[in-house]
Amino acid sequence: MGKIETKPRPNSLHESDLYEWTREQARLLSEHRWNELDLDNLVDEVEGVGGSEKREIRARMLVLLIHLLKWKFQPGFRGPSCRRTVSDQRRQLADIVEASPSLANYLKSQVKERYLGSTVDAAEQTGVAIGLFPEECPFTPEQVLDLDYFPEDRDIE
């Protein structure tokens, strides 16, 4: 008979059940039981929340820029699905900044930061040669985030 391998047991609730750990930490905080808090992990988790907000902004900005490029450079393929994706990404980004206003400048900076990656993905998805996309983002941050803005044929340089 072979030996059954087991995973080592996590040595803390934080490692074994993150959700339950968060509930326990919230309870300890609400009861002002400061000495019982798992401070090292609590600090890491709080810092991680800000990082996850930034990651979500980057991911949503990439999707938004890809779809704006597709809209601008493939006018024959404009449709309700693309329009919904653009609108949804804008609303989700607005929600993030509404909840965390200190991320507003970071959000605007991501238009330029994510543009190059968006051209690579848009080229793959559309078959449009990457060299046909402008080197600089053809949209201002205000246009990218404007709920009503969609590039029109006349906007193409």
Side-chain angles (χ1 to χ4, degrees):
M1 252 184 169
K3 184 176 179 183
I4 298 175
E5 292 187 36
T6 59
K7 295 179 184 176
R9 285 190 71 192
N11 55 10
S12 77
L13 185 58
H14 181 263
E15 293 176 23
S16 64
D17 189 337
L18 184 61
Y19 176 73
E20 185 59 32
W21 175 86
T22 61
R23 290 181 53 196
E24 178 181 277
Q25 296 306 297
R27 182 180 52 77
L28 293 171
L29 284 166
S30 69
E31 294 172 2
H32 305 277
R33 293 166 58 186
W34 314 122
N35 291 336
E36 296 176 52
L37 290 168
D38 180 358
L39 290 179
D40 290 337
N41 286 320
L42 195 56
V43 168
D44 287 344
E45 293 299 329
V46 170
E47 287 176 344
V49 170
S52 68
E53 292 292 291
K54 284 184 166 184
R55 279 189 300 281
E56 185 169 355
I57 285 174
R58 289 191 301 267
R60 289 189 179 282
M61 182 59 69
L62 184 66
V63 171
L64 175 54
L65 289 170
I66 290 167
H67 281 78
L68 286 173
L69 287 170
K70 289 163 100 174
W71 189 273
K72 181 171 180 152
F73 290 94
Q74 280 197 313
F77 291 96
R78 293 177 183 167
S81 175
C82 185
R83 183 178 285 277
R84 271 192 308 275
T85 299
V86 168
S87 295
D88 183 53
Q89 296 307 310
R90 286 173 168 159
R91 279 193 302 274
Q92 294 295 331
L93 287 165
D95 287 349
I96 293 169
V97 171
E98 183 179 337
S100 301
S102 63
L103 289 172
N105 288 334
Y106 181 78
L107 172 63
K108 288 181 180 177
S109 76
Q110 290 307 295
V111 172
K112 184 177 180 180
E113 295 295 321
R114 300 292 126 216
Y115 178 67
L116 180 59
S118 72
T119 61
V120 171
D121 289 352
E124 282 180 8
Q125 293 178 24
T126 62
V128 172
I130 195 165
L132 296 179
F133 296 116
E135 286 184 30
E136 300 286 323
C137 184
F139 320 113
T140 66
E142 292 73 25
Q143 288 172 324
V144 169
L145 300 170
D146 181 344
L147 294 174
D148 297 319
Y149 174 77
F150 281 85
E152 299 301 327
D153 295 334
R154 68 181 182 280
D155 293 337
I156 297 176
E157 299 166 353

